[in-house]
Amino acid sequence: MNLKRIEDITSQILAKFDSNELPVPIRKIAEDLGIKIHSYDLGENISGVLVIKNDQGIIGVNPTEQLVRQRFTIAHELGHFVLHKNSNESIFVDKDYKVLFRDQQSSTGENRREQEANAFAASILMPRKLLIEQIENHFTDLTDENAVKGLAKMFNVSVIAMTIRISNLRLF
Ligand SMILES: [Zn+2]
């Protein structure tokens, strides 16, 4: 699945929400799509799980991790639910997503799904349109580290996630 298609899917979900709200209300969006979210201490390095049973999704998120991480995890698991529900697997277990970013070179099916879920998470938490609007309206200088930190705070994501997003959208 190409990135453009993933951007289209997240735009459609956000449009249904009529949400220009920042930060993006990711828990509310997931719950409205019929997903239950529970906090589970999943152990070190496990950020989240998604269990799909009879078409219903349950996301387990590790409450010991930072809030920005938990938001990214929910968005990532929601990505699996939306994009990969029809694949054979019904359980997804996700490690610390920084590990996943590092592993992106691999082209196995599993890694492709992880990349897609990460792309979904980035594009729903940092919608292209809203991000560009913020940058243009505030004449944000993206070479300024503090400006990028400010954007990360506004979208309630980590600075690394924001930096990757800006770079992928070629906004630098
Ligand atoms: Zn995953």
Side-chain angles (χ1 to χ4, degrees), residues 48 76-77 80 84 92-95 100 110 113-115 117-118:
H76 176 105
E77 302 304 342
H80 281 310
H84 308 136
F92 296 86
V93 178
D94 285 295
K95 293 180 192 152
L100 297 174
E110 189 187 344
R113 286 197 296 272
E114 293 317 316
Q115 284 174 44
N118 280 337

Side-chain angles (χ1 to χ4, degrees), residues 57-157:
I58 299 169
I59 290 175
V61 61
N62 192 336
T64 65
E65 295 189 332
Q66 288 178 23
L67 275 183
V68 287
R69 175 76 62 82
Q70 292 183 40
R71 281 170 55 76
F72 196 94
T73 298
I74 291 168
H76 176 105
E77 302 304 342
L78 180 62
H80 281 310
F81 184 77
V82 171
L83 305 173
H84 308 136
K85 196 162 48 164
N86 296 325
S87 66
N88 298 328
E89 267 132 298
S90 56
I91 297 181
F92 296 86
V93 178
D94 285 295
K95 293 180 192 152
D96 184 335
Y97 67 84
K98 272 190 226 143
V99 178
L100 297 174
F101 283 131
R102 230 183 288 137
D103 283 346
Q104 276 186 357
Q105 308 296 39
S106 171
S107 60
T108 62
E110 189 187 344
N111 273 283
R112 196 165 51 242
R113 286 197 296 272
E114 293 317 316
Q115 284 174 44
E116 288 173 354
N118 280 337
F120 180 99
S123 85
I124 201 162
L125 291 174
M126 297 164 276
R128 187 174 189 281
K129 184 174 139 261
L130 293 184
L131 184 54
I132 290 173
E133 241 168 53
Q134 287 303 326
I135 291 168
E136 285 178 352
N137 291 351
H138 302 287
F139 305 103
T140 307
D141 174 9
L142 293 175
T143 60
D144 175 3
E145 207 180 295
N146 284 322
V148 176
K149 276 187 193 159
L151 283 170
K153 201 167 177 196
M154 185 181 293
F155 287 79
N156 204 357
V157 297

Side-chain angles (χ1 to χ4, degrees), residues 10-56:
T10 58
S11 304
Q12 281 164 19
I13 292 171
L14 289 165
K16 246 187 266 164
F17 260 79
D18 194 24
S19 178
N20 285 328
E21 192 183 331
L22 283 179
V24 170
I26 191 64
R27 274 180 184 265
K28 194 161 167 273
I29 290 172
E31 283 166 357
D32 271 45
L33 291 170
I35 290 175
K36 303 223 181 321
I37 301 172
H38 296 292
S39 293
Y40 290 117
D41 189 349
L42 300 155
E44 221 180 325
N45 296 327
I46 304 287
S47 298
V49 294
L50 169 69
V51 180
I52 302 172
K53 229 191 209 171
N54 305 328
D55 248 22
Q56 297 281 311

